Amino acid sequence: MLGLIVGCSNSRNNGNAAEAAAPSPSPANTAEHSETRIISTIKGDIEIPAHPKKVAGMLYVFADHLLALGIEPHAMVTYNDLGFPEYLADRMKDTIAIGSGEAPNLEALLEAEPDLILASKTLNEANYEQLSKIAPTILFDNENDEDWTRFRQTAEIFGKEAEADQIHTDYEAKVAKVKDELAAVAPNETVAYLRVQDKQLQLIQPGDNFTLFGPLGLTPASVEGIDFKDSWNVAISEEVLPELNPDRMFIILRPGESNKAALDNIMSTSIWANLTAVKNKHVYIGDANLWFAGYGPIGLSNVIDEISGAYSPES
């Protein structure tokens, strides 16, 4: 959690006469670059720029947060060494890649010269001191918080709470509209949410934290005897599919040729061909970078658009 901003200060240059004789920036620019704020974090009070210009993110969701607020990230980790998420890449052409969230390249981060670093307690507590030597670092301990709570906490750093609240309001209005549309188009249909990863077909456990079942209220297909235990997914064999037999399937394909080959093998079987969703051409393949990593405002909104599009007559 982050505390509220508790104070402001103006840093002063106490350099020697030679430094003082150097050309001075305009008063407006001086104020912009010297003004700082003190904020309370889980690592105590830290001083950050009042108007950060070169923000680095050590968790890929920060890219979504910043872009939603109209801030282009200066430097950002990638998603599992796969580059920036495709749904954001066009807006990050000038953003410096600094390794993955799990294996950040601190040398590249140092060379990027950020003036503020946004970091994750889970991934970055061990290297917090190193990060803090590069630039003021805010360590967020909110990975178990709801997506929109996390987004607003990011917005607070930049004084953009009002913008964040409006983005959230617009999203909720979109969800309500699409939910009503889907209820009218397919009121009695069942949906299966699946993933192909590690060459396995996995069934995703229905829950409020997934857009299909929580916000949009779609009816999950079910199979007796499947035990998710404490996990949100479970590997299933293709023999389970006829019992599941949903009206629609959303399949998230993780990158990698082995995963694509595994899905191709399943799709070549007679079991697959006889499924209701397959016969009616109601199978949709989603990008893992969006569906599993896009839990910022832009990603969440794009997923709603993809689901809505899947139910359109033209799909």
Side-chain angles (χ1 to χ4, degrees):
M1 292 293 293
L2 291 173
L4 296 175
I5 296 167
V6 297
C8 296
S9 66
N10 284 315
S11 302
R12 298 186 181 276
N13 185 352
N14 294 319
N16 58 30
E19 290 173 324
S24 300
S26 67
N29 286 339
T30 300
E32 180 175 318
H33 289 285
S34 64
E35 190 176 87
T36 61
R37 294 181 293 168
I38 305 298
I39 65 169
S40 177
T41 77
I42 62 172
K43 289 294 186 179
D45 290 349
I46 65 170
E47 186 175 15
I48 69 169
H51 307 286
K53 300 296 183 184
K54 299 167 68 177
V55 183
M58 308 306 293
L59 186 67
Y60 43 80
V61 73
F62 287 128
D64 194 311
H65 287 183
L66 293 171
L67 289 167
L69 295 169
I71 302 167
E72 182 176 355
H74 175 65
M76 186 64 56
V77 294
T78 61
Y79 178 57
N80 291 344
D81 287 326
L82 299 174
F84 298 133
E86 185 176 339
Y87 78 98
L88 297 176
D90 286 347
R91 311 186 201 190
M92 300 177 68
K93 292 179 180 178
D94 296 324
T95 301
I96 301 167
I98 50 173
S100 69
E102 292 74 16
N105 184 334
L106 298 188
E107 183 175 341
L109 177 63
L110 178 63
E111 292 176 356
E113 298 182 334
D115 58 7
L116 180 66
I117 299 172
L118 307 181
S120 154
K121 182 177 186 290
T122 300
L123 293 177
N124 304 119
E125 187 165 32
N127 59 12
Y128 174 78
E129 296 301 328
Q130 291 174 281
L131 295 176
S132 296
K133 290 177 181 177
I134 296 173
T137 299
I138 300 172
L139 202 64
F140 287 80
D141 184 18
N142 62 1
E143 290 188 34
N144 292 322
D145 289 346
E146 192 266 340
D147 292 334
W148 290 98
T149 299
R150 300 169 68 186
F151 172 54
R152 199 178 194 282
Q153 289 173 357
T154 301
E156 289 173 5
I157 300 301
F158 304 94
K160 290 181 175 284
E161 297 94 329
E163 290 91 331
D165 291 343
Q166 186 60 56
I167 291 168
H168 190 188
T169 297
D170 292 344
Y171 172 80
E172 293 295 340
K174 173 187 276 193
V175 168
K177 178 176 180 291
V178 172
K179 183 176 182 178
D180 288 344
E181 291 172 350
L182 300 190
V185 170
N188 300 311
E189 288 190 349
T190 59
V191 174
Y193 189 18
L194 302 152
R195 176 174 72 167
V196 178
Q197 176 167 299
D198 299 329
K199 298 183 286 186
Q200 293 180 327
L201 181 64
Q202 301 172 350
L203 179 64
I204 307 300
Q205 184 176 22
D208 290 346
N209 55 325
F210 291 112
T211 304
L212 286 164
F213 306 115
L216 294 181
L218 298 175
T219 302
S222 61
V223 176
E224 290 186 12
I226 287 187
D227 185 3
F228 288 93
K229 297 182 180 178
D230 295 325
S231 179
W232 53 270
N233 69 85
V234 63
I236 61 172
S237 67
E238 61 191 61
E239 286 75 17
V240 173
L241 291 174
E243 186 179 352
L244 191 67
N245 200 23
D247 294 298
R248 295 178 189 261
M249 286 191 286
F250 290 84
I251 303 175
I252 310 308
L253 180 62
R254 293 283 292 177
E257 288 302 315
S258 61
N259 290 324
K260 184 177 183 301
L263 181 58
D264 287 343
N265 287 338
I266 295 170
M267 295 174 71
S268 67
T269 64
S270 59
I271 289 176
W272 177 267
N274 286 308
L275 295 174
T276 299
V278 175
K279 290 179 178 179
N280 293 330
K281 298 182 179 180
H282 288 166
V283 179
Y284 314 98
I285 310 297
D287 174 21
N289 283 0
L290 173 60
W291 282 68
F292 281 165
Y295 47 92
I298 300 172
L300 291 169
S301 183
N302 284 8
V303 168
I304 293 291
D305 290 339
E306 288 200 0
I307 295 170
S308 177
Y311 281 80
S312 69
E314 295 79 15
S315 65

